[in-house]
Amino acid sequence: SDRTGVDRNKQPQDTRVNMDVRANAQALINVSRFRLCFQASNETRECMENLKQEIEGREPEIAAVMVPNCIYRGGCPEFTSCGLWSEFVEMTENKEDLLDIDKRYELYNRYYNEKKLK
């Protein structure tokens, strides 16, 4: 309400909110670990995917390390998996690549870019 004069608590939950966000590279990487997970809502994940795509055009090195938590950690840390890690393991031909974080990132970004093109 500080900018609009309208009490946010009296607005419907789905009312759009304009935001001005500033984040450094590490913050973007950290947020992407949770927001690129399929446990996140579709809208949230799509927003993060769009942000990753925008960053890719300006800072490809940063976009390349914006990955879901399971890719970063080498396995799903959630109580209930979204299934991405299992799918990722299945599609990885050389399972040794799963032990190498650089290879995991490379494989995920290839997967991500192919999915984006569909």
Side-chain angles (χ1 to χ4, degrees), residues 43-58:
E43 298 86 359
T44 299
R45 193 182 65 261
E46 288 170 9
C47 182
M48 196 66 205
E49 287 174 350
N50 290 339
L51 180 58
K52 177 180 167 102
Q53 193 171 347
E54 285 293 319
I55 292 169
E56 193 170 29
R58 293 175 175 83

Side-chain angles (χ1 to χ4, degrees), residues 13-98:
Q13 184 63 31
D14 62 350
T15 301
R16 292 190 181 271
V17 176
N18 288 327
M19 295 178 63
D20 181 15
V21 177
R22 297 170 196 266
N24 64 21
Q26 188 61 59
L28 291 169
I29 293 165
N30 291 343
V31 170
S32 70
R33 291 183 185 155
F34 299 95
R35 300 302 181 236
L36 289 173
C37 175
F38 283 84
Q39 292 281 29
S41 71
N42 289 338
E43 298 86 359
T44 299
R45 193 182 65 261
E46 288 170 9
C47 182
M48 196 66 205
E49 287 174 350
N50 290 339
L51 180 58
K52 177 180 167 102
Q53 193 171 347
E54 285 293 319
I55 292 169
E56 193 170 29
R58 293 175 175 83
E59 298 287 342
E61 299 84 6
I62 294 172
V65 294
M66 293 173 66
V67 300
N69 218 5
C70 62
I71 304 301
Y72 167 68
R73 296 198 177 279
C76 180
E78 299 293 331
F79 289 117
T80 306
S81 174
C82 72
L84 175 61
W85 179 252
S86 298
E87 180 182 337
F88 190 72
V89 169
E90 292 263 333
M91 66 174 239
T92 302
E93 292 177 19
N94 182 0
K95 303 302 183 210
E96 294 280 318
D97 288 345
L98 297 171

